[in-house]
Amino acid sequence: MKINKIKEMVIYNGIDVEKFTNKREKNNVFTVGMVGRFSNQKNQIVLIKAVEKILNDKILIKLILMGNGKTRKQCEEYVKKRNLENNIKFIEGKFTDLMSKLDLFVLSTKYEGLPLVVCEAMAADIPVIATDVLGVDEIIEDRKNGLLVELNNYDDLAEKILLCMNDNKKIGEFASNAKNTVLLKFSKSKMLDDYYNEI
């Protein structure tokens, strides 16, 4: 009896890398950003608590959270209650408008499919920290092209943010390796080539 072997190939969604190439502004205060729908899944409150911990240690840092959604009001109320408004801002808009203002991108998500926003940050040469969950771990190789943190662990997240704040050489290496990762695996041209090769 003849058995037909089925060949399987994973084709990742790709991004237009050139769209996310930018020159970052020089910030007086180290600036962290996250872009995403405000929801239980995206878990912005963990990032807020991590930044709060850093501020409580008398280390100056700024956080910009872009997006809208069900948990935004809850996050805004937490920030107001803790008197963090001077350091944590909530905005709306496009990621391309925010990229140049960031020294670090964080995705504090609880779960993902394949988070293209991480690829977009990497394409823009922004160092990335993200939760070590399925989907994210297909993009980030810990301590090579970014940093992975434990789910719901704002202490771990704060520690990794401080590492990025204090080691410019290391985060420069992360950003460079990350850009190469996107070009090799997650670019639009790579996706199209893979589809054509499968036809």
Side-chain angles (χ1 to χ4, degrees):
M1 186 171 93
K2 186 176 179 181
I3 298 174
N4 292 323
K5 292 184 178 180
I6 299 173
K7 180 183 174 184
E8 291 185 356
M9 179 180 179
V10 175
I11 299 178
Y12 293 109
N13 287 330
I15 63 167
D16 184 351
V17 175
E18 290 185 5
K19 181 180 177 182
F20 297 97
T21 300
N22 80 103
K23 292 185 178 180
R24 296 211 307 274
E25 298 173 7
K26 189 171 180 63
N27 294 317
N28 293 325
V29 177
F30 190 88
T31 303
V32 179
M34 178 172 168
V35 177
R37 180 183 76 259
F38 277 82
S39 65
N40 182 57
Q41 174 195 349
K42 298 300 182 184
N43 210 19
Q44 282 93 343
I45 194 67
V46 166
L47 176 53
I48 292 170
K49 289 180 178 180
V51 168
E52 180 184 19
K53 180 179 174 64
I54 293 169
L55 289 167
N56 287 342
D57 289 335
K58 310 301 181 187
I59 300 169
L60 196 55
I61 187 172
K62 183 178 178 182
L63 172 62
I64 303 174
L65 296 167
M66 175 180 276
N68 238 317
K70 292 181 179 179
T71 62
R72 176 165 165 164
K73 185 176 180 182
Q74 172 194 345
C75 290
E76 287 174 328
E77 288 174 352
Y78 183 93
V79 167
K80 186 174 181 180
K81 183 178 179 181
R82 301 285 183 146
N83 297 314
L84 302 170
E85 296 106 316
N86 290 335
N87 302 90
I88 300 177
K89 305 294 182 184
F90 297 83
I91 66 170
E92 297 173 31
K94 297 178 181 178
F95 187 25
T96 48
D97 298 329
L98 178 62
M99 291 186 306
S100 63
K101 298 175 175 61
L102 301 183
D103 297 298
L104 178 68
F105 181 85
V106 174
L107 185 68
S108 53
T109 186
K110 289 183 177 180
Y111 57 91
E112 288 292 331
L114 188 78
L116 289 181
V117 69
V118 168
C119 295
E120 292 167 356
M122 292 163 74
D125 293 309
I126 305 170
V128 175
I129 299 175
T131 315
D132 188 4
V133 294
L134 290 174
V136 171
D137 63 4
E138 293 186 58
I139 304 171
I140 296 180
E141 192 173 353
D142 191 35
R143 295 186 179 269
K144 292 195 176 177
N145 62 2
L147 291 169
L148 295 172
V149 294
E150 293 180 3
L151 176 63
N152 287 326
N153 189 335
Y154 66 85
D155 288 320
D156 186 30
L157 180 52
E159 181 182 323
K160 299 293 171 54
I161 292 171
L162 286 170
L163 175 65
C164 292
M165 292 176 72
N166 295 324
D167 195 338
N168 288 329
K169 183 179 178 182
K170 180 58 70 177
I171 65 168
E173 290 174 5
F174 290 161
S176 177
N177 292 338
K179 183 68 170 279
N180 289 333
T181 298
V182 173
L183 289 170
L184 288 171
K185 293 179 66 178
F186 302 104
S187 68
K188 188 175 181 180
S189 59
K190 174 71 166 78
M191 177 186 71
L192 292 174
D193 285 345
D194 287 344
Y195 275 118
Y196 288 139
N197 290 334
E198 282 298 291
I199 294 174

Coordinates of all heavy atoms in Angstrom, one line a residue, residues 91-169:
I91 N -2.5 57.4 25.4 CA -2.8 58.1 24.1 C -3.5 57.2 23.1 O -3.6 56.0 23.4 CB -1.4 58.7 23.5 CG1 -0.5 57.5 23.1 CG2 -0.7 59.6 24.5 CD1 0.7 57.9 22.3
E92 N -3.9 57.8 22.0 CA -4.4 57.0 20.9 C -3.7 57.4 19.7 O -3.1 58.5 19.6 CB -5.9 57.3 20.8 CG -6.8 56.9 22.0 CD -8.2 57.3 21.9 OE1 -8.7 57.4 20.7 OE2 -8.8 57.6 22.9
G93 N -3.8 56.6 18.6 CA -3.1 56.9 17.4 C -2.5 55.7 16.7 O -3.0 54.6 17.0
K94 N -1.5 56.0 15.8 CA -0.9 54.9 15.1 C 0.5 54.6 15.7 O 1.2 55.5 16.1 CB -0.7 55.3 13.6 CG -2.1 55.5 12.9 CD -1.8 55.9 11.5 CE -3.1 56.1 10.7 NZ -2.9 56.6 9.3
F95 N 0.9 53.3 15.7 CA 2.2 53.0 16.2 C 3.3 53.7 15.5 O 4.3 54.1 16.1 CB 2.4 51.4 16.1 CG 3.6 50.9 16.7 CD1 4.2 51.6 17.8 CD2 4.2 49.7 16.3 CE1 5.3 51.1 18.4 CE2 5.3 49.2 16.9 CZ 5.9 49.9 17.9
T96 N 3.1 53.9 14.2 CA 4.2 54.6 13.4 C 4.4 56.0 13.9 O 5.5 56.6 13.8 CB 3.8 54.7 11.9 OG1 2.5 55.1 11.8 CG2 4.0 53.3 11.3
D97 N 3.4 56.6 14.6 CA 3.6 58.0 15.1 C 4.3 57.9 16.5 O 4.9 58.9 16.9 CB 2.2 58.6 15.3 CG 1.5 58.8 14.0 OD1 2.2 59.0 13.0 OD2 0.3 58.8 14.0
L98 N 4.3 56.8 17.1 CA 4.9 56.6 18.5 C 6.3 56.1 18.4 O 7.1 56.4 19.3 CB 4.0 55.7 19.3 CG 4.4 55.3 20.7 CD1 4.5 56.6 21.6 CD2 3.5 54.3 21.3
M99 N 6.7 55.3 17.4 CA 7.9 54.6 17.4 C 9.1 55.4 17.7 O 10.0 55.0 18.5 CB 8.1 53.9 16.0 CG 7.1 52.8 15.8 SD 7.5 51.9 14.2 CE 7.6 53.2 13.0
S100 N 9.2 56.6 17.1 CA 10.4 57.4 17.2 C 10.6 57.9 18.7 O 11.7 58.3 19.0 CB 10.4 58.6 16.3 OG 9.3 59.4 16.6
K101 N 9.6 57.9 19.5 CA 9.7 58.4 20.8 C 10.1 57.3 21.9 O 10.2 57.6 23.0 CB 8.3 59.0 21.2 CG 7.9 60.1 20.4 CD 6.5 60.6 20.7 CE 6.0 61.8 20.0 NZ 6.0 61.6 18.5
L102 N 10.2 56.0 21.4 CA 10.4 55.0 22.4 C 11.9 54.5 22.4 O 12.6 54.4 21.4 CB 9.6 53.8 22.0 CG 8.0 54.0 22.0 CD1 7.3 52.7 21.7 CD2 7.5 54.6 23.3
D103 N 12.3 54.2 23.7 CA 13.6 53.6 23.9 C 13.4 52.1 24.1 O 14.4 51.3 23.9 CB 14.3 54.1 25.2 CG 14.6 55.6 25.0 OD1 15.4 56.0 24.2 OD2 14.0 56.4 25.8
L104 N 12.2 51.6 24.4 CA 11.9 50.2 24.7 C 10.5 50.0 24.4 O 9.6 50.8 24.8 CB 12.3 49.9 26.1 CG 12.0 48.5 26.6 CD1 13.0 47.5 26.0 CD2 12.2 48.4 28.1
F105 N 10.2 48.8 23.8 CA 8.8 48.4 23.6 C 8.5 47.2 24.5 O 9.4 46.2 24.6 CB 8.5 48.0 22.1 CG 7.1 47.6 21.9 CD1 6.1 48.5 21.6 CD2 6.8 46.2 21.9 CE1 4.8 48.1 21.4 CE2 5.4 45.8 21.7 CZ 4.5 46.8 21.4
V106 N 7.4 47.2 25.1 CA 7.0 46.0 26.0 C 5.6 45.5 25.6 O 4.7 46.3 25.3 CB 7.0 46.4 27.5 CG1 6.5 45.3 28.4 CG2 8.4 46.8 28.0
L107 N 5.5 44.2 25.6 CA 4.2 43.6 25.4 C 3.9 42.6 26.6 O 4.5 41.6 26.7 CB 4.1 42.8 24.1 CG 2.8 42.2 23.7 CD1 1.8 43.3 23.4 CD2 2.9 41.2 22.6
S108 N 3.1 43.1 27.5 CA 2.9 42.3 28.8 C 1.7 41.4 28.6 O 1.0 41.1 29.6 CB 2.6 43.3 29.9 OG 1.6 44.2 29.6
T109 N 1.5 40.8 27.5 CA 0.3 40.0 27.1 C 0.2 38.7 27.9 O 1.2 38.2 28.4 CB 0.3 39.7 25.6 OG1 -0.9 39.1 25.2 CG2 1.5 38.8 25.3
K110 N -1.0 38.2 28.1 CA -1.2 36.9 28.7 C -1.2 35.8 27.7 O -0.8 34.6 28.0 CB -2.6 36.9 29.4 CG -2.6 37.7 30.7 CD -4.0 37.6 31.4 CE -4.0 38.4 32.7 NZ -5.3 38.3 33.3
Y111 N -1.6 36.0 26.4 CA -1.6 35.0 25.4 C -1.6 35.7 24.0 O -2.1 36.9 23.9 CB -2.7 34.0 25.5 CG -4.1 34.6 25.5 CD1 -4.8 34.8 24.4 CD2 -4.7 35.0 26.7 CE1 -6.1 35.3 24.4 CE2 -5.9 35.6 26.8 CZ -6.6 35.7 25.6 OH -7.9 36.3 25.6
E112 N -1.1 35.0 23.0 CA -1.1 35.6 21.7 C -1.2 34.6 20.6 O -1.1 33.4 20.9 CB 0.2 36.4 21.4 CG 0.4 37.7 22.2 CD -0.6 38.8 21.7 OE1 -1.0 38.8 20.5 OE2 -1.0 39.6 22.5
G113 N -1.5 35.0 19.4 CA -1.3 34.1 18.2 C 0.1 34.4 17.7 O 1.0 33.7 18.2
L114 N 0.3 35.3 16.8 CA 1.6 35.8 16.4 C 1.5 37.3 16.5 O 0.9 37.9 15.6 CB 2.0 35.3 15.0 CG 3.4 35.6 14.6 CD1 4.4 34.6 15.3 CD2 3.6 35.6 13.1
P115 N 2.1 37.9 17.5 CA 1.9 39.4 17.7 C 2.8 40.2 16.7 O 4.0 40.4 17.0 CB 2.4 39.6 19.2 CG 3.3 38.4 19.4 CD 2.8 37.3 18.6
L116 N 2.2 40.6 15.6 CA 2.9 41.4 14.6 C 3.4 42.7 15.2 O 4.4 43.2 14.7 CB 2.1 41.6 13.4 CG 1.8 40.3 12.6 CD1 1.0 40.6 11.3 CD2 3.1 39.6 12.1
V117 N 2.8 43.2 16.2 CA 3.3 44.5 16.8 C 4.7 44.3 17.3 O 5.5 45.3 17.3 CB 2.3 45.0 17.9 CG1 2.3 44.1 19.1 CG2 2.6 46.4 18.3
V118 N 5.0 43.1 17.8 CA 6.4 42.9 18.2 C 7.4 42.9 17.0 O 8.4 43.5 17.1 CB 6.5 41.5 18.9 CG1 8.0 41.1 19.1 CG2 5.8 41.5 20.3
C119 N 7.0 42.3 15.9 CA 7.8 42.4 14.7 C 7.9 43.9 14.2 O 9.0 44.3 13.8 CB 7.1 41.6 13.6 SG 7.1 39.8 13.9
E120 N 6.9 44.6 14.4 CA 6.9 46.0 13.9 C 7.9 46.8 14.8 O 8.7 47.6 14.2 CB 5.5 46.7 14.0 CG 4.5 46.1 13.0 CD 3.1 46.4 13.2 OE1 2.8 47.1 14.3 OE2 2.2 46.0 12.4
A121 N 7.9 46.6 16.1 CA 8.8 47.3 17.0 C 10.3 46.9 16.6 O 11.2 47.7 16.6 CB 8.5 47.0 18.4
M122 N 10.5 45.6 16.4 CA 11.8 45.1 16.0 C 12.3 45.6 14.7 O 13.4 46.0 14.5 CB 11.7 43.5 16.0 CG 11.6 42.9 17.4 SD 11.0 41.2 17.3 CE 12.5 40.3 16.8
A123 N 11.4 45.8 13.7 CA 11.7 46.4 12.4 C 12.1 47.8 12.6 O 12.9 48.3 11.8 CB 10.5 46.2 11.5
A124 N 11.6 48.5 13.6 CA 11.9 49.9 13.9 C 13.2 50.0 14.8 O 13.4 51.1 15.2 CB 10.7 50.6 14.5
D125 N 13.9 48.9 15.0 CA 15.1 49.0 15.8 C 14.8 49.3 17.3 O 15.7 49.9 17.9 CB 16.1 50.0 15.2 CG 16.7 49.5 13.9 OD1 17.1 48.3 13.8 OD2 16.7 50.3 12.9
I126 N 13.7 49.0 17.7 CA 13.3 49.3 19.2 C 13.5 48.0 19.9 O 12.9 47.0 19.6 CB 11.9 49.8 19.3 CG1 11.6 51.0 18.4 CG2 11.6 50.1 20.8 CD1 10.1 51.4 18.4
P127 N 14.3 48.0 21.0 CA 14.5 46.8 21.8 C 13.1 46.3 22.4 O 12.3 47.2 22.7 CB 15.4 47.2 22.9 CG 16.1 48.4 22.4 CD 15.2 49.1 21.5
V128 N 12.9 45.0 22.5 CA 11.6 44.5 22.9 C 11.7 43.6 24.1 O 12.6 42.7 24.2 CB 10.9 43.7 21.7 CG1 9.6 43.1 22.2 CG2 10.7 44.7 20.6
I129 N 10.8 43.8 25.0 CA 10.6 42.8 26.1 C 9.1 42.3 26.0 O 8.2 43.1 25.8 CB 10.7 43.5 27.5 CG1 12.2 44.0 27.7 CG2 10.4 42.5 28.6 CD1 12.3 44.8 29.0
A130 N 8.9 41.0 26.1 CA 7.6 40.5 26.0 C 7.4 39.3 26.9 O 8.4 38.6 27.3 CB 7.2 40.2 24.6
T131 N 6.1 39.0 27.2 CA 5.8 37.8 28.0 C 6.2 36.5 27.3 O 6.0 36.4 26.1 CB 4.3 37.8 28.4 OG1 3.9 39.1 28.7 CG2 4.1 36.8 29.5
D132 N 6.7 35.6 28.1 CA 7.1 34.3 27.5 C 5.9 33.4 27.4 O 5.6 32.5 28.2 CB 8.2 33.6 28.4 CG 8.8 32.4 27.8 OD1 8.5 32.1 26.6 OD2 9.6 31.7 28.5
V133 N 5.2 33.6 26.3 CA 4.0 32.8 26.0 C 4.1 32.3 24.5 O 4.9 32.8 23.7 CB 2.7 33.6 26.2 CG1 2.5 34.0 27.6 CG2 2.7 34.9 25.3
L134 N 3.2 31.3 24.2 CA 3.2 30.8 22.8 C 2.9 32.0 21.8 O 2.1 32.8 22.1 CB 2.1 29.7 22.7 CG 2.4 28.4 23.4 CD1 1.2 27.5 23.3 CD2 3.6 27.7 22.8
G135 N 3.5 31.9 20.7 CA 3.4 33.0 19.7 C 4.5 34.0 19.8 O 5.3 34.2 18.9
V136 N 4.7 34.6 21.0 CA 5.8 35.5 21.3 C 7.1 34.7 21.2 O 8.1 35.2 20.6 CB 5.6 36.1 22.7 CG1 6.9 36.9 23.1 CG2 4.4 37.1 22.7
D137 N 7.1 33.5 21.7 CA 8.4 32.7 21.7 C 8.8 32.3 20.4 O 9.9 31.7 20.2 CB 8.3 31.6 22.7 CG 7.3 30.5 22.4 OD1 6.6 30.7 21.3 OD2 7.1 29.6 23.2
E138 N 7.9 32.4 19.3 CA 8.3 32.1 18.0 C 9.1 33.3 17.4 O 9.7 33.2 16.3 CB 7.1 31.8 17.1 CG 6.4 30.5 17.5 CD 5.3 30.2 16.6 OE1 5.6 30.0 15.3 OE2 4.1 30.0 17.0
I139 N 9.0 34.5 18.0 CA 9.6 35.7 17.5 C 10.9 36.0 18.3 O 12.0 36.3 17.7 CB 8.7 36.9 17.5 CG1 7.4 36.6 16.7 CG2 9.3 38.1 16.9 CD1 6.3 37.6 16.9
I140 N 10.7 36.0 19.6 CA 11.8 36.4 20.5 C 12.6 35.2 21.0 O 12.0 34.3 21.6 CB 11.3 37.3 21.6 CG1 10.7 38.6 21.1 CG2 12.4 37.6 22.6 CD1 10.2 39.5 22.2
E141 N 13.9 35.3 20.8 CA 14.8 34.3 21.4 C 15.5 35.1 22.6 O 16.2 36.0 22.4 CB 15.9 33.9 20.4 CG 16.7 32.7 20.9 CD 17.6 32.1 19.8 OE1 17.5 32.6 18.6 OE2 18.4 31.2 20.1
D142 N 15.2 34.6 23.8 CA 15.6 35.3 25.0 C 17.0 35.6 25.1 O 17.9 34.8 24.9 CB 15.1 34.5 26.2 CG 15.2 35.3 27.5 OD1 15.0 36.5 27.5 OD2 15.6 34.7 28.6
R143 N 17.3 36.9 25.3 CA 18.7 37.5 25.5 C 19.5 37.4 24.2 O 20.7 37.6 24.2 CB 19.5 36.7 26.6 CG 18.8 37.0 28.0 CD 19.6 36.5 29.1 NE 18.9 36.8 30.4 CZ 19.2 37.9 31.1 NH1 20.1 38.8 30.7 NH2 18.5 38.1 32.2
K144 N 18.8 37.2 23.0 CA 19.5 37.2 21.8 C 19.0 38.4 20.9 O 19.7 39.2 20.4 CB 19.5 35.9 21.0 CG 20.3 34.8 21.8 CD 20.5 33.6 20.9 CE 21.4 32.6 21.7 NZ 21.7 31.4 20.9
N145 N 17.6 38.4 20.7 CA 17.0 39.4 20.0 C 16.0 40.2 20.8 O 15.1 40.9 20.2 CB 16.4 38.9 18.7 CG 15.3 37.9 18.9 OD1 15.0 37.6 20.0 ND2 14.8 37.4 17.8
G146 N 16.0 40.0 22.1 CA 15.0 40.6 23.0 C 15.0 39.9 24.3 O 15.9 39.0 24.6
L147 N 14.1 40.2 25.2 CA 14.0 39.6 26.5 C 12.6 39.1 26.7 O 11.6 39.7 26.4 CB 14.3 40.7 27.6 CG 15.8 41.1 27.7 CD1 15.9 42.3 28.6 CD2 16.7 40.0 28.1
L148 N 12.5 37.9 27.3 CA 11.2 37.3 27.7 C 11.1 37.4 29.2 O 12.1 37.2 30.0 CB 11.2 35.8 27.2 CG 11.2 35.6 25.7 CD1 11.3 34.1 25.4 CD2 9.9 36.2 25.1
V149 N 9.8 37.6 29.7 CA 9.6 37.7 31.1 C 8.4 36.7 31.5 O 7.6 36.3 30.6 CB 9.2 39.1 31.5 CG1 10.4 40.1 31.4 CG2 8.0 39.6 30.8
E150 N 8.4 36.4 32.8 CA 7.3 35.5 33.2 C 6.0 36.2 33.2 O 5.8 37.4 33.5 CB 7.6 35.1 34.7 CG 8.9 34.2 34.9 CD 9.1 33.8 36.3 OE1 8.3 34.2 37.2 OE2 10.1 33.2 36.6
L151 N 5.0 35.4 32.9 CA 3.6 35.9 32.9 C 3.2 36.4 34.2 O 3.4 35.8 35.3 CB 2.7 34.7 32.5 CG 1.2 35.0 32.5 CD1 0.8 36.0 31.4 CD2 0.4 33.7 32.2
N152 N 2.6 37.6 34.2 CA 2.0 38.3 35.4 C 3.1 38.7 36.4 O 2.7 39.0 37.6 CB 1.0 37.4 36.1 CG -0.3 37.4 35.3 OD1 -0.7 38.4 34.6 ND2 -1.0 36.3 35.3
N153 N 4.4 38.6 36.1 CA 5.4 38.9 37.1 C 6.0 40.3 36.9 O 6.9 40.5 36.1 CB 6.5 37.8 37.0 CG 7.5 37.9 38.1 OD1 7.7 39.0 38.7 ND2 8.2 36.8 38.4
Y154 N 5.4 41.3 37.6 CA 5.9 42.6 37.3 C 7.2 42.9 37.9 O 7.9 43.8 37.5 CB 4.8 43.7 37.8 CG 4.5 43.7 39.3 CD1 5.4 44.5 40.1 CD2 3.5 43.1 39.8 CE1 5.1 44.6 41.5 CE2 3.2 43.1 41.2 CZ 4.0 43.9 42.0 OH 3.8 44.0 43.4
D155 N 7.6 42.1 38.9 CA 9.0 42.2 39.5 C 10.0 41.8 38.4 O 11.0 42.5 38.2 CB 9.2 41.3 40.7 CG 8.4 41.9 41.9 OD1 8.4 43.1 42.1 OD2 7.8 41.1 42.6
D156 N 9.8 40.7 37.7 CA 10.6 40.3 36.7 C 10.7 41.3 35.5 O 11.8 41.6 35.0 CB 10.1 38.9 36.1 CG 11.1 38.3 35.1 OD1 12.3 38.5 35.2 OD2 10.6 37.5 34.3
L157 N 9.5 41.8 35.2 CA 9.5 42.8 34.1 C 10.2 44.1 34.5 O 11.0 44.6 33.7 CB 8.0 43.2 33.8 CG 7.7 44.2 32.7 CD1 8.5 43.9 31.4 CD2 6.2 44.3 32.5
A158 N 10.1 44.5 35.8 CA 10.8 45.7 36.2 C 12.3 45.5 36.1 O 13.1 46.4 35.7 CB 10.4 46.1 37.6
E159 N 12.7 44.3 36.5 CA 14.2 43.9 36.5 C 14.7 44.0 35.1 O 15.8 44.5 34.8 CB 14.4 42.5 37.1 CG 15.8 42.1 37.1 CD 15.9 40.7 37.7 OE1 15.2 40.3 38.6 OE2 16.8 39.9 37.2
K160 N 13.9 43.5 34.1 CA 14.4 43.4 32.7 C 14.4 44.8 32.1 O 15.2 45.2 31.3 CB 13.5 42.5 31.9 CG 13.5 41.0 32.4 CD 14.8 40.4 32.1 CE 14.9 39.0 32.8 NZ 13.9 38.0 32.5
I161 N 13.4 45.7 32.5 CA 13.4 47.0 32.0 C 14.6 47.8 32.5 O 15.3 48.5 31.8 CB 12.1 47.8 32.5 CG1 10.9 47.2 31.8 CG2 12.2 49.3 32.2 CD1 9.6 47.8 32.3
L162 N 15.0 47.6 33.8 CA 16.2 48.2 34.3 C 17.4 47.7 33.6 O 18.4 48.5 33.4 CB 16.3 47.9 35.8 CG 15.3 48.7 36.7 CD1 15.3 48.1 38.1 CD2 15.7 50.2 36.7
L163 N 17.5 46.4 33.2 CA 18.6 45.9 32.5 C 18.8 46.7 31.2 O 19.9 47.1 30.8 CB 18.4 44.4 32.2 CG 19.4 43.7 31.3 CD1 20.8 43.7 32.0 CD2 19.0 42.3 31.0
C164 N 17.7 46.9 30.5 CA 17.7 47.7 29.3 C 18.1 49.1 29.5 O 18.9 49.7 28.7 CB 16.4 47.6 28.5 SG 16.0 46.0 27.9
M165 N 17.7 49.7 30.6 CA 18.0 51.1 30.9 C 19.5 51.3 31.2 O 20.1 52.3 30.9 CB 17.2 51.6 32.1 CG 15.7 51.7 31.9 SD 14.8 52.2 33.4 CE 15.3 53.9 33.6
N166 N 20.1 50.2 31.7 CA 21.5 50.3 32.2 C 22.5 49.8 31.3 O 23.7 49.9 31.6 CB 21.6 49.7 33.6 CG 20.8 50.4 34.7 OD1 20.7 51.6 34.6 ND2 20.2 49.6 35.5
D167 N 22.2 49.1 30.2 CA 23.1 48.5 29.3 C 22.8 48.8 27.9 O 22.2 48.0 27.2 CB 23.1 47.0 29.6 CG 24.3 46.3 29.0 OD1 25.0 46.9 28.0 OD2 24.7 45.2 29.4
N168 N 23.3 50.0 27.4 CA 23.0 50.4 26.1 C 23.7 49.5 25.0 O 23.1 49.3 24.0 CB 23.6 51.8 25.9 CG 22.8 52.9 26.6 OD1 21.6 52.7 26.7 ND2 23.4 54.0 27.0
K169 N 24.8 48.9 25.3 CA 25.5 48.0 24.4 C 24.6 46.8 24.2 O 24.4 46.3 23.0 CB 26.9 47.7 24.9 CG 27.6 46.8 23.9 CD 29.0 46.4 24.5 CE 29.7 45.5 23.5 NZ 31.1 45.1 24.0

